[in-house]
Structures are given as structure tokens and as C-alpha cells.
Amino acid sequence: MSQSKPILFVLVTAAGMVVGCAHATPSELVAARSAYEQAATGPAQEYTPAELHVAKKSLARAEALFEDKGDTSAVRDQAYIALRKAELAATLGRVAVLKRQAAAVQS
């Protein structure tokens, strides 16, 4: 029984180190993911797919950087850029919808 205590201690310590070394996702990256998902499920998907693709690539860069470096200022900066590109795609999609609605009313 006394031999199992040191083994248990080593296992618990190792597990704690793994959890402690795991990087917490920066809030900027979480926000960028959310903004992209919102844009991808909105009118941008149909009306501004090119802008949506640019946002997706920007988010992918932020994700890859986070995987490589963890929570760094470069990751947060790239996530901020991805957030803004996703917001731009979503906004341009909504503008396209509104333009179509306005054109339909004027017809």
C-alpha cells in the first residue's frame, strides 16, 4: 500500500503540470471565433462570400499562431484582425440584403 502513494503522487503531479501548461484561449480569439460563426451563418454566406473567406483565412492564421505560440500579443493582435474581418463580412452581407430590399421596393 505504501508503494502506491508515491506513484499516485507522481501521477497527480504530472496531470497538474499538463493542465497548468495548457494555454487558456485569449478572449480576443474567442470573440473572433464567435464573430466568424455569426458571419458564416448570416447573409455574408450568400452575398459576400469573398469577404467571408478572407475572414476565415485570418481566423485560421490566429488559430495556428495560438497553437504555435500560446497566448501572446501576436496571437491577440491577429485575433483582433480576424474579428474585424468577420464583422466586416457580416456587415457587408447585411448591406447587400438591404440594397436588394430597397431595389425591390423601388421597382
Side-chain angles (χ1 to χ4, degrees):
M1 187 73 143
S2 64
Q3 286 182 328
S4 66
K5 287 185 180 181
I7 292 172
L8 180 61
F9 175 76
V10 169
L11 290 175
V12 169
T13 303
M17 289 173 63
V18 168
V19 171
C21 291
H23 299 288
T25 306
S27 61
E28 294 87 351
L29 186 53
V30 172
R33 289 173 182 163
S34 177
Y36 176 78
E37 283 301 314
Q38 193 172 25
T41 59
Q45 181 180 23
E46 181 178 348
Y47 296 103
T48 56
E51 286 80 3
L52 190 59
H53 179 70
V54 168
K56 183 177 183 177
K57 285 177 28 180
S58 186
L59 179 58
R61 279 192 295 275
E63 295 281 7
L65 200 54
F66 177 63
E67 285 293 318
D68 256 4
K69 309 263 184 194
D71 184 2
T72 64
S73 61
V75 170
R76 291 188 299 276
D77 290 348
Q78 184 59 50
Y80 176 81
I81 292 167
L83 168 70
R84 294 301 180 217
K85 288 183 179 188
E87 290 174 340
L88 178 61
T91 300
L92 292 175
R94 288 191 300 273
V95 167
V97 168
L98 292 173
K99 282 183 178 180
R100 285 182 183 241
Q101 290 174 347
V105 169
Q106 291 177 353
S107 301

